[in-house]
Amino acid sequence: MEYRQLGHSGLKVSVLSLGTMTFGGQGKFAKTGQTDTETAKRQIGLCIDAGINLFDTADVYSGGLSEEILGKALGEKRHDVLVASKARFPMGEGPNDRGSSRHHIIRACEASLKRLGTDYLDLYQLHQWDGQTPIDETLRALDDLVSSGKVRYIGVSNFSAWHIMKTLGVAQANHYIRPVSQQIHYTLQAREAEYELLPVSHDQGLGVLVWSPLAGGLLSGKYRRNQAKPEGTRHLADWGEPPVRDEDALYNIVDVLVEIAESRGVSAAQIALAWLISRPVVSSVIVGARSEDQLKDNLKSADLTLSQHEIQRLDDVSQLPLIYPYWHQAWTASDRLSKADLSLIAPYLKK
């Protein structure tokens, strides 16, 4: 297992980490999986044996049950690994039971610590932007949580680039704790993060954690062109995360994934994960699984290195159009582009 530095911090994380949205399976999260404590213990054991050192959860997953199961399943192993959680979404019916206010963030953190059975979080992440709470209020609360020893590092998730830059600017101006990472959705099927979010990480030294790296199963190889959908799955037109706007484009990607996988004697899922691991600034890819067989298969991607030809095939079939102002920058500013600019624009200059 390879370990990478998490952004500008001194913390090193495994290139694969375990996401625990499947733990509990309560309410709307039942469709993601229903992993109980004993199954979670076995999955965590497999991960630790493979070298995974980061386990990611959130208070909203199954109404806190995911955190409870993770804490029980880790047991005495808790201090040998890194635990990350998130807060922002509703955890009650009251008007202050959501968001990133000082009131909610501190209460949410303390509740997560209790459910996890630990006295600190290695990484505490804002699960989504809160446009109604001043970011300096949020950062001061997080700064206090770090000062008190309840949190080691902070991160953000699902922010836009301007949200991130505002957060970093306010943190610097007030000498508050600075985020070290962003957790984002990024796959071969959904590469929009390359427009702004990955360049921000290049420029500002933010680590990147990737959630739902198989696009909710779309890139697992079980969805194929002109073939019946697997039983119990959603129709692509009703897909929520990520939305499927162009089925033909999706199937073009899957066709290449399957071709490369068959030539390697591995699964399409492993190829999709290996592509993500190969991307610059990606720190860790968060995998989750309904079954131990799925998890074992996903874990093998950490040892899979794609050739430049294979990466280029996947890049070509999934590449997004260069939108404004980037096509204009490619035409008129190619002599003065930074590494962050080139992380998006370089492949288009070659053409």
Side-chain angles (χ1 to χ4, degrees), residues 7-8 164-165 168 178 182 186 193-208 278-282 338-345:
H8 63 272
I164 290 173
M165 290 305 300
L168 294 174
R178 185 182 191 270
Q182 60 168 323
Y186 177 41
E194 293 178 2
Y195 288 133
E196 291 277 345
L197 295 179
L198 296 188
V200 162
S201 277
H202 273 279
D203 189 66
Q204 297 296 314
L206 287 176
V208 173
S278 76
R279 308 308 284 177
V281 306
V282 168
S338 69
K339 289 182 179 180
D341 297 318
L342 290 170
S343 70
L344 167 67
I345 295 174

Side-chain angles (χ1 to χ4, degrees), residues 8 21 38 41 50-51 94 100 108 119 147 150 162 176 214 217 233 271 278 284 287 292 295 297 310 319 351:
H8 63 272
M21 186 185 288
E38 290 305 311
K41 286 181 179 178
S100 298
D119 53 7
S147 297
K150 295 176 180 178
W162 77 263
Y176 294 148
L214 297 178
T233 58
I271 299 298
S278 76
S284 188
V287 298
E292 290 180 32
L295 180 58
D297 185 74
E310 290 167 334
Q319 192 172 60
K351 296 180 179 181

